[in-house]
Amino acid sequence: MKLNPAIIRIKNLRLRTYIGINDDEITNMQDVVINIKIHYNADQATDSDKMDDALNYKVITKRIINLVENNRFSLLEKLTADVLAIAAEHAWVNYAEVEVDKPHALRFSDSVSLCLSCNKN
């Protein structure tokens, strides 16, 4: 049976970082919520049941946590692009998509979010 690419979804990764250009945003960490979608060919992993044949989402997530929590960002665009670069980095990845939400960024709104994606085919 020919399988379509596997889709890994990392949902609602809640982190804190410095994000924004206003004085209070520069001085205070804020919450961000990150959702990631990664497509890759998982045929080897489904056949072998071995971790070495699968894309390790724990390693990817740890790298994203380190990036977000240990850096400062003026723009949501830069933060999202940097997370996307990590999500898409592995050679097996065909497509990656990242959405970053900045809760309470606007009055009367739950959040503002930005979504970026890349197709490596």
Side-chain angles (χ1 to χ4, degrees), residues 20-39:
I21 57 171
N22 297 324
D23 289 341
D24 62 318
E25 295 173 321
I26 293 168
T27 359
N28 300 307
M29 291 184 97
Q30 297 178 68
D31 295 330
V32 292
V33 181
I34 302 172
N35 285 282
I36 303 158
K37 188 188 307 185
I38 301 170
H39 294 211

Side-chain angles (χ1 to χ4, degrees), residues 7-8 34-39 76-89 93-100 113-121:
I7 301 172
I8 295 172
I34 302 172
N35 285 282
I36 303 158
K37 188 188 307 185
I38 301 170
H39 294 211
L76 205 48
E77 288 83 350
K78 175 64 172 158
L79 170 58
T80 307
D82 287 357
V83 172
L84 179 62
I86 293 172
E89 182 175 60
V93 173
N94 322 346
Y95 172 86
E97 180 179 301
V98 171
E99 181 178 18
V100 178
S113 72
L114 182 83
C115 187
L116 293 173
S117 63
C118 68
N119 192 338
K120 292 172 54 179
N121 290 337

